[in-house]
Amino acid sequence: MKVLIVEDDLATRKGLEESIKDLGGEPYSVGTAKEAGKALNEIDPRLLIVDIHLPDGDGIEILRLAREGDPDREGIVITGQGSIDNAIEALRAGAFDYLLKPLRPAQLEVVFNRLTDRRRLETEVETLRAELQETGRLGDLVGRSEAMSRIFEVIRRVARSNAPVLITGASGSGKEVAARTIHRLSRRAGKPFVAFNCGAISPTLIESELFGHERGSFTGAEKRRVGYFEEAMGGTLFLDEITEMGAELQVKLLRVLEDRTLRRVGGSQELKVDVRLISATNRDPRDAIKEGKLREDLYYRLNVFPLALPTLSERPEDIPLLAEHFRKLIEEQEHAGVAGWEQAAIDLLQSYTWPGNVRELRNVVHRAYVMTEGKLIKPDVVESLIPKADRIAPAPTKKKPAAKVQRAGGAARRR
Ligand SMILES: Nc1ncnc2c1ncn2[C@@H]1O[C@H](COP(=O)(O)OP(=O)(O)OP(=O)(O)O)[C@@H](O)[C@H]1O
Ligand SMILES: [Mg+2]
């Protein structure tokens, strides 16, 4: 980021230059209002750091001019003599912050980071929004149906907050992709996204995996281990299959969420927790509570923002878009020159109920791609890949594209 420093005191100026360089910015500095005016045009800075009292003018005025020329420019006003009037005037001119001399590098760092964070986030959100309009895509989530547009809307809103999110949806409906998208759109995007599947690990080990342990805290604990919570510090922790976590551990998790501190297994030190929690389940949480698989108090904590993903058969109009999206991704990897679909092949895809949801569709597209000889994927290839039993009889009239399909016998587990 190009930073214009307008400061007549040489020592302060050099100090600022050094700090900006340390923070990864590109500093340019001048000592007068006149030079500042010239520099604005020549280097087009994104950030201005201006001293109020200059030999030939007023720094706040420069900032005002700079922002008139381009409202996206940010400013930090610094001054030796603090006064409420100055502060108010600086903020009116659009300053991002107002700092008193002598500046401490740490102070500048906080403001600079906040600013770059905000910029990064704004650019990211803008890019994604444009992409969504063009391609029906938010992050890695694809869909133009009304159901998905509503999901996109919630995701954008949720991403701005720090509140816990509980994502529900059948297996393969995109819960993990949705969680990653929320993270990517949030202020935490520069920090880690850590995914942990509670169903993939023995219940006795979950606690130490999540919260970490101290050396010697149990047989086999030869080294200190940092848990997933700590790994996700500052970022997002995605807890998948939350109902597979034992009841006792659910109590512990609840306590961590309430106190925002945690203790490693066998440890005495309390660690502060700054982690956004997103949890997911492919069961109906209400049923899970009734069956004693999910504590009700924890449920309320996790479910601040509920996000219920539709099954693929509830949004069959997205099938062509998704199928084409996956074909392109596969073509990028395999380069076999399979360039598209015969319409009848797409129709067939839309006639299937997709009990495995988007994941199943992706797999079918991949197999169809591999089996295709020419340029276009043909219906007979698709025909051979989807079971007849799970097709929807073609409706005589086109009232509803697909019936809402309930799958028998609980959700299929991944792998
Ligand atoms: N809306 C979507 N757009 C694009 N791809 C998607 C979408 N939803 C799911 N996918 C694809 O389907 C795959 C499965 O999604 P994901 O792993 O998020 O499902 P899940 O809901 O977490 O399933 P499970 O309950 O089995 O863990 C992803 O790898 C991704 O390729
Ligand atoms: Mg998952």
Side-chain angles (χ1 to χ4, degrees):
M1 181 158 64
K2 285 182 184 170
V3 183
L4 177 62
I5 300 163
V6 190
E7 162 66 80
D8 54 329
D9 180 69
L10 202 62
T12 311
R13 204 158 96 192
K14 289 289 164 221
L16 279 169
E17 277 179 19
E18 285 309 310
S19 304
I20 291 297
K21 269 190 216 148
D22 289 345
L23 292 167
E26 284 175 72
Y28 298 80
S29 55
V30 296
T32 63
K34 192 166 160 229
E35 288 169 296
K38 229 173 99 195
L40 269 186
N41 294 325
E42 275 166 19
I43 65 162
D44 188 22
R46 295 295 89 202
L47 169 67
L48 286 87
I49 302 181
V50 297
D51 183 23
I52 296 189
H53 301 289
L54 297 166
D56 61 339
D58 175 350
I60 294 182
E61 197 46 44
I62 294 169
L63 180 58
R64 191 174 287 129
L65 273 174
R67 286 180 52 91
E68 249 170 47
D70 179 353
D72 278 347
R73 286 176 180 147
E74 302 281 3
I76 299 172
V77 171
I78 49 175
T79 179
Q81 302 112 317
S83 83
I84 298 274
D85 286 351
N86 280 346
I88 292 175
E89 208 199 324
L91 295 176
R92 275 215 192 108
F96 183 75
D97 213 334
Y98 178 84
L99 299 175
L100 286 183
K101 285 194 248 183
L103 288 184
R104 282 173 295 117
Q107 228 176 351
L108 193 65
E109 184 177 351
V110 170
V111 180
F112 192 86
N113 287 343
R114 242 172 43 214
L115 210 79
T116 36
D117 262 12
R118 197 173 85 178
R119 276 202 169 275
R120 191 203 50 69
L121 189 63
E122 277 167 5
T123 330
E124 176 80 352
V125 170
E126 238 166 66
T127 318
L128 289 176
R129 183 166 299 154
E131 197 179 83
L132 174 62
Q133 257 158 20
E134 225 169 86
T135 62
R137 194 172 154 171
L138 183 70
D140 289 327
L141 283 174
V142 172
R144 254 198 244 275
S145 59
E146 222 181 286
M148 276 319 273
S149 307
R150 271 202 302 275
I151 296 288
F152 290 166
E153 202 37 58
V154 177
I155 287 181
R156 277 209 296 262
R157 224 167 331 123
V158 157
R160 276 184 246 133
S161 89
N162 260 325
V165 183
L166 177 62
I167 307 179
T168 54
S171 182
S173 60
K175 296 185 292 295
E176 182 155 352
V177 189
R180 283 182 195 277
T181 305
I182 294 173
H183 174 73
R184 197 173 145 197
L185 285 173
S186 78
R187 260 183 287 272
R188 299 174 174 267
K191 299 279 162 60
F193 175 91
V194 177
F196 178 72
N197 186 337
C198 306
I201 194 156
S202 101
T204 49
L205 285 178
I206 296 184
E207 178 173 4
S208 97
E209 290 282 316
L210 265 187
F211 303 130
H213 61 243
E214 296 296 341
R215 190 172 156 217
S217 54
F218 54 86
T219 334
E222 273 148 26
K223 273 196 225 147
R224 187 166 111 188
R225 189 191 183 291
V226 166
Y228 285 104
F229 254 106
E230 272 177 80
E231 255 175 49
M233 210 51 97
T236 305
L237 177 63
F238 175 57
L239 287 185
D240 206 355
E241 300 202 39
I242 188 81
T243 59
E244 300 307 302
M245 183 186 272
E248 229 176 284
L249 201 54
Q250 291 189 18
V251 179
K252 286 209 172 142
L253 178 60
L254 181 63
R255 213 173 301 139
V256 170
L257 293 176
E258 277 174 353
D259 303 348
R260 296 179 174 281
T261 58
L262 70 77
R263 231 179 260 205
R264 296 193 192 108
V265 176
S268 50
Q269 196 193 345
E270 298 244 298
L271 303 166
K272 268 195 89 52
V273 171
D274 169 25
V275 168
R276 197 299 162 80
L277 193 70
I278 304 180
S279 43
T281 174
N282 52 25
R283 309 170 44 128
D284 180 338
R286 290 263 142 217
D287 289 346
I289 292 170
K290 269 188 227 137
E291 288 162 30
K293 297 284 281 176
L294 178 62
R295 285 184 57 105
E296 194 166 14
D297 46 8
L298 179 62
Y299 168 69
Y300 286 118
R301 263 277 154 186
L302 298 177
N303 197 41
V304 179
F305 268 114
L307 191 68
L309 295 181
T311 62
L312 189 51
S313 59
E314 285 171 302
R315 50 183 188 107
E317 63 272 39
D318 282 341
I319 290 173
L321 191 69
L322 279 162
E324 180 54 10
H325 166 70
F326 292 132
R327 185 208 54 83
K328 266 198 203 134
L329 286 183
I330 297 160
E331 170 67 21
E332 274 164 26
Q333 283 170 12
E334 314 231 341
H335 307 289
V338 177
W341 301 81
E342 282 189 13
Q343 183 55 42
I346 292 283
D347 293 346
L348 258 179
L349 289 177
Q350 276 188 298
S351 75
Y352 181 54
T353 56
W354 302 107
N357 290 294
V358 187
R359 179 183 294 119
E360 188 186 8
L361 175 62
R362 191 189 63 191
N363 292 340
V364 165
V365 172
H366 203 157
R367 297 217 295 277
Y369 181 100
V370 172
M371 287 165 65
T372 294
E373 298 283 336
K375 272 196 165 340
L376 299 180
I377 302 176
K378 293 189 165 55
D380 56 332
V381 170
V382 173
E383 176 86 46
S384 69
L385 292 172
I386 55 178
K388 284 213 163 53
D390 282 320
R391 301 213 196 137
I392 305 160
T397 51
K398 256 201 158 181
K399 278 187 294 190
K400 273 186 193 161
K404 188 169 167 180
V405 177
Q406 289 281 300
R407 278 184 299 130
R413 287 278 296 276
R414 174 162 49 163
R415 278 183 286 273

